């Protein structure tokens, strides 16, 4: 392979009043390290969002809702830029907590966690969540679960639709109103799942963990093209990427935001190039991983993309 020095790094110049899109354009002209990756991720996301033949998957992992990122996801659902959402149960738990009028609070990671335990405050790094919020959450969830048809067999996405229809704001509420499926394949690993287990001790409603596969596969087989925007990794990332394995196609667009290392073999840090070896991403796919804190990279990428799309 011959290497050439033909594309110079452009020095960035910051001026007052720059828009987010202009800032990202300047980062792209510099084009180095994760700033350059972020600029390319914006370009890919713009192409993905503006392609009418692309079915757009969004994966949500990590403590994003407690950090205030849930509003971005619900806005993307509202604007029609997410066709299929796959989330951890934890993010949906915190989404419900916010939607019923409870809040996450600014705290500090420099603290005595034993003291917090005694004060009934739960910590997510520098975010505090009072135990009282979970008491309101339990009351709400048990009431919502009690409205499920007795003896019914439903899918996880139907369960989340049922919950979302009884909320006025947030991710689940917006998805339910817009008719966008929300999949949570590891729902047991969350307070949503624990509350359902509690409900199931005295009620007969069956959640079929495999029922969602048919509707998901139907979407995958009918998709002309597919795109994935992955925040974090874990179960949502794998659930999204494996969904296209049954088809002859892979993902044509992929953006991954992660802070994990690839050399430890974990899925959350695995590169998108690695996914090409499995056929999850096509050989020709436009794909970019941006390393860093998603509470920084996600707002920048989405703001710059929406600016380019004229939103």
């Amino acid at each position: 392979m011959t290497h050439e020095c033909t594309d110079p790094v452009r020095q960035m110049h910051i001026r007052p009043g720059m828009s987010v899109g202009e800032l990202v354009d300047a980062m792209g002209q510099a084009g180095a390290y994760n700033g350059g990756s972020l600029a390319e991720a914006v370009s890919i996301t713009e192409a993905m969002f503006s392609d009418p033949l692309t079915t757009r998957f969004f994966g949500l992992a990590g403590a994003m809702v407690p950090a205030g990122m849930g509003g971005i996801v619900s806005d993307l659902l509202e604007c029609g830029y997410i066709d299929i959402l796959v989330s951890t149960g934890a993010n949906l738990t915190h989404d419900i907590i916010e939607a019923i009028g409870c809040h996450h609070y600014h705290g500090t990671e420099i603290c005595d966690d034993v003291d917090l335990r005694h004060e009934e405050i739960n910590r997510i790094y520098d975010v505090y969540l009072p135990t009282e919020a979970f008491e309101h959450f339990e009351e709400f969830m048990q009431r919502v679960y009690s409205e499920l048809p007795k003896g019914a067999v439903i899918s996880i996405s139907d369960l989340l639709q049922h919950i979302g229809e009884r909320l006025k704001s947030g991710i689940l509420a917006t998805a339910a109103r817009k008719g966008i499926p929300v999949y949570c394949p590891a729902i047991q690993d969350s307070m949503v799942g624990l509350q359902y287990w509690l409900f199931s001790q005295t009620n007969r409603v069956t959640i079929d963990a495999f029922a969602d596969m048919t509707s998901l596969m139907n979407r995958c087989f009918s998709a002309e093209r597919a795109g994935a925007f992955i925040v974090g990794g874990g179960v949502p990332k794998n659930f999204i990427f494996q969904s296209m394995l049954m088809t002859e196609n892979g993902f044509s667009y992929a953006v991954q935001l992660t802070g994990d290392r690839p050399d430890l073999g974990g899925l959350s840090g695995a590169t998108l190039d690695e996914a090409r070896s499995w056929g999850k991403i096509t050989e020709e796919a436009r794909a970019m991983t941006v390393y860093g804190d998603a509470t920084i990279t996600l707002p920048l990428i989405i703001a710059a993309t929406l600016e380019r799309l004229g939103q």
Side-chain angles (χ1 to χ4, degrees), residues 48-99:
M48 186 195 317
F49 284 4
S50 60
D51 186 346
L53 298 180
T54 293
T55 298
R56 295 162 292 224
F57 292 72
F58 194 100
L60 185 63
M64 292 292 101
V65 175
M69 300 296 105
I72 295 175
V73 180
S74 59
D75 288 346
L76 290 175
L77 289 164
E78 184 68 46
C79 294
Y81 292 126
I82 298 175
D83 299 307
I84 296 170
L85 175 64
V86 183
S87 176
T88 60
N91 273 308
L92 300 182
T93 295
H94 293 285
D95 174 64
I96 295 168
I97 286 173
E98 288 275 336

Side-chain angles (χ1 to χ4, degrees), residues 133-289:
F134 287 105
E135 296 169 357
H136 292 297
F137 173 80
E138 178 173 342
E139 180 183 352
F140 172 80
M141 294 304 295
Q142 291 304 312
R143 183 172 68 252
V144 168
Y145 285 155
S146 70
E147 297 172 1
L148 290 166
K150 291 180 173 56
V153 179
I154 62 174
S155 68
I156 294 173
S157 64
D158 286 338
L159 177 67
L160 296 175
Q161 172 85 14
H162 175 82
I163 297 169
E165 288 172 348
R166 286 151 180 82
L167 296 169
K168 294 182 179 179
S169 62
I171 294 170
L172 285 176
T174 306
R177 179 164 45 80
K178 302 286 286 187
I180 299 168
V182 179
Y183 299 118
C184 183
I187 196 170
Q188 302 95 321
D189 183 28
S190 70
M191 291 294 184
V192 175
L194 285 174
Q195 286 299 318
Y196 180 80
W197 173 83
L198 181 62
F199 167 78
S200 71
Q201 301 309 291
T202 54
N203 296 272
R204 294 187 60 186
V205 177
T206 300
I207 306 299
D208 185 345
F210 292 93
D212 283 328
M213 297 305 293
T214 299
S215 61
L216 176 63
M217 288 300 107
N218 287 342
R219 292 293 295 272
C220 291
F221 277 104
S222 63
E224 185 78 18
R225 283 187 290 276
F229 195 107
I230 309 292
V231 180
V235 172
K237 177 183 176 181
N238 191 68
F239 191 76
I240 288 172
F241 279 159
Q242 76 172 10
S243 66
M244 294 298 291
L245 283 178
M246 298 299 292
T247 75
E248 295 181 354
N249 302 318
F251 284 87
S252 298
Y253 307 100
V255 171
Q256 174 179 236
L257 311 183
T258 184
D260 292 341
R261 290 167 48 182
D263 58 320
L264 299 181
L267 178 69
S268 297
T271 66
L272 295 177
D273 281 335
E274 183 178 305
R276 297 182 201 267
S277 74
W278 293 80
K280 298 174 181 178
I281 296 176
T282 67
E283 295 179 16
E284 304 81 13
R286 296 188 62 188
M288 180 57 64
T289 296

